[in-house]
Every structure is written in C-alpha cells, then in structure tokens.
Amino acid sequence: MIRTLDVLDLGFMSYNEALELQTYYHKSLINQKRQLDLDHQPVNNTLILVQHPHVFTLGTSGKQEHLKLKQDDLGHIEAQFQKINRGETSLTMVRVS
C-alpha cells in the first residue's frame, strides 16, 4: 500500500492561528478515517510547516508558576505564554540557508 503525505507550508503566522489550523486538520483527519475505515482505504496525512513567534506553552497539568519568567519579561524577549488543552507534541525543523 502506497501512502502519501501532503505538505502544507503556512509560512509565518501567530501560534493561535497555526493551532486553529492544526486542530481543523486533525478533526478532518479523524472524520475522514471514520468514513473511510468502512472501505479500508488509506487516508493521506498532512505535514504542516509553520513559523510562529516565540511561545511558551503549558498543557493541562502545567501551572503558571512552572513558567520561570514573569508575564512582563515575556514582552522583553518578544515571546508569549499560551495555555493549551493538551500536552505539546511538535517536530522542530530547522531551515539551513
């Protein structure tokens, strides 16, 4: 069975916008799998490439006091804090040019 991988290059956008798109693709993939599982058809996966400003994330078990920087300090390093509803899993890719 040959599987394909779609690559979506979003360029530069905010973390929240990228997370919204990732959530949309994830939900679509789940719906697609449920529909196609009946026919035993493969589903295409999508690799999302995106660059966003620096962000510190805390998942469901994280607490604000776990963040070593104060909220005011984040602005000085052009970073933001984002509470998320899951543990963070990401693949970091570095472009060499």
Side-chain angles (χ1 to χ4, degrees):
M1 171 186 346
I2 296 175
R3 299 203 46 174
T4 61
L5 176 67
D6 296 326
V7 178
L8 181 63
D9 187 351
L10 300 176
F12 190 87
M13 66 173 45
S14 76
Y15 177 85
N16 288 335
E17 287 177 298
L19 185 58
E20 263 184 51
L21 278 169
Q22 178 185 342
T23 301
Y24 168 79
Y25 273 87
H26 182 247
K27 287 180 180 178
S28 294
L29 180 65
I30 290 171
N31 290 334
Q32 197 177 22
K33 282 184 175 185
R34 286 182 179 147
Q35 185 71 25
L36 294 178
D37 269 350
L38 302 174
D39 301 327
H40 305 290
Q41 296 294 317
V43 175
N44 288 357
N45 292 304
T46 303
L47 174 63
I48 301 173
L49 302 176
V50 64
Q51 181 182 1
H52 56 72
H54 301 298
V55 62
F56 293 90
T57 59
L58 286 175
T60 54
S61 62
K63 295 183 173 69
Q64 180 77 30
E65 57 266 19
H66 294 156
L67 189 61
K68 303 285 185 192
L69 294 172
K70 295 179 181 161
Q71 192 71 29
D72 293 342
D73 295 333
L74 292 175
H76 296 296
I77 61 170
E78 297 181 15
Q80 65 179 27
F81 164 75
Q82 182 69 42
K83 184 78 172 159
I84 57 174
N85 64 355
R86 59 184 169 76
E88 186 67 18
T89 302
S90 63
L91 167 67
T92 302
M93 301 178 77
V94 178
R95 179 178 57 121
V96 178
S97 55

